[in-house]
Amino acid sequence: RKLKSIKFSIKLRYFRLFGRRYQFTETSKAKKRREKDGFFEKYCQGKGIDMGYNGDLVCKNAIGFDIEHGDATYLEIHQDKKFDFIYSSHLFEHLSNPKLALKNWWKLLNKNGFLIIYLPHRDLYEKNKKLPSKFNPDHKYFYLIDDDDLPDTLDLKKLVLENCKNCQLEYSKACDDNY
């Protein structure tokens, strides 16, 4: 545990000093499907923030936010800014307090902005109902689109609708591109 903490501290300092290099992650894997669906034209216009970008920005007009920038639940460095979209890929499942994160993220969106959350689906990815995750021990929750299975699995749609005041759900879907 102590070794893991030391590694994390070194990695954090490295990112703060030198920035992140490009990495091929889930965002890049989904790019072709999203282009075909018109995702970028519809949801990623204007100024955006890519939460947990890990060196793989969703688009050029987004700024990256990751561990070297602070706690994604609070977004202290962006409290006075407004964004047209907030995109989060494979970060939300790592948050200890997803309700508070949603409330804080929602405050950063312009009136007609989009909150886009992309995360592993419990039954497609984990294929397990109880934590810890067999793929990532840092996952705090599993998620399904329309179902709570407490204490480990949260209903994402319900969570968003309860914590983002006056939001309108555009769509939700499980994407299973044969992996």
Side-chain angles (χ1 to χ4, degrees):
R1 193 167 180 91
K2 189 171 184 167
L3 182 60
K4 186 177 178 181
S5 178
I6 291 168
K7 279 182 168 180
F8 177 79
S9 188
I10 291 169
K11 187 188 263 188
L12 187 60
R13 285 191 178 110
Y14 179 87
F15 290 151
R16 285 182 178 157
L17 285 171
F18 303 108
R20 287 189 180 251
R21 294 184 323 226
Y22 170 75
Q23 292 186 33
F24 185 81
T25 65
E26 300 303 321
T27 295
S28 289
K29 289 178 189 176
K31 187 173 183 176
K32 286 183 182 178
R33 175 183 48 80
R34 290 181 177 152
E35 286 174 336
K36 191 176 98 184
D37 293 346
F39 172 85
F40 298 103
E41 292 80 18
K42 182 156 186 158
Y43 301 111
C44 296
Q45 296 300 308
K47 185 172 70 172
I49 185 167
D50 186 337
M51 303 296 298
Y53 81 109
N54 199 24
D56 188 11
L57 280 175
V58 65
C59 58
K60 291 178 183 171
N61 51 313
I63 58 170
F65 186 96
D66 219 308
I67 58 171
E68 63 270 25
H69 303 108
D71 188 331
T73 301
Y74 302 102
L75 292 167
E76 294 96 351
I77 66 171
H78 295 295
Q79 285 181 346
D80 59 342
K81 297 178 185 162
K82 290 286 186 179
F83 295 95
D84 298 302
F85 65 92
I86 295 175
Y87 171 84
S88 171
S89 177
H90 291 263
L91 166 79
F92 206 68
E93 63 275 15
H94 297 273
L95 299 176
S96 297
N97 192 340
K99 290 178 182 182
L100 182 58
L102 281 171
K103 289 175 184 174
N104 288 331
W105 294 5
W106 190 247
K107 290 178 197 173
L108 295 177
L109 280 173
N110 286 325
K111 185 178 180 195
N112 294 316
F114 292 100
L115 176 59
I116 305 152
I117 301 172
Y118 185 69
L119 47 75
H121 186 283
R122 182 196 73 188
D123 296 341
L124 295 174
Y125 178 73
E126 290 290 344
K127 298 179 176 117
N128 183 18
K129 294 183 179 193
K130 297 290 178 201
L131 287 168
S133 165
K134 58 184 166 184
F135 301 112
N136 192 324
D138 187 53
H139 286 184
K140 308 296 189 272
Y141 294 100
F142 295 143
Y143 288 92
L144 294 172
I145 294 173
D146 278 309
D147 193 22
D148 273 329
D149 188 2
L150 300 174
D152 297 329
T153 302
L154 301 178
D155 177 333
L156 182 62
K157 192 185 294 186
K158 181 173 127 185
L159 197 62
V160 169
L161 292 172
E162 288 177 353
N163 292 285
C164 299
K165 289 186 178 187
N166 302 316
C167 76
Q168 181 179 349
L169 187 64
E170 182 83 17
Y171 81 93
S172 61
K173 68 178 181 178
C175 301
D176 181 10
D177 294 338
N178 298 316
Y179 61 84

